[in-house]
Amino acid sequence: ADDANVDVAASAARIADELPSGAVTLRVYQGTGHDLRDAATGRLREDVIADTCRWLHAQGPGSGS
């Protein structure tokens, strides 16, 4: 949500407009810059790591993806 490189709202809207409904899940993390680090701590956000791991697990063998 705090990305200094791109307009987050415009970028998310463009992605949503270009892809079929339900094709992706867009997540905007409050207090996070372009590198997905917590603006206060400078560390990669744990919720980003957890969400990415869940997504990767869902894409594993037998997922049909």
Side-chain angles (χ1 to χ4, degrees), residues 20-52:
S21 179
V24 297
T25 299
L26 297 174
R27 295 222 167 104
V28 176
Y29 296 91
Q30 298 300 317
T32 304
H34 192 79
D35 60 2
L36 299 177
R37 294 183 182 274
D38 186 292
T41 66
R43 298 188 69 196
L44 187 61
R45 292 177 56 123
E46 290 184 23
D47 53 348
V48 171
I49 296 168
D51 289 345
T52 302

Side-chain angles (χ1 to χ4, degrees), residues 1 3-13:
D3 192 331
N5 297 323
V6 298
D7 180 324
V8 175
S11 181

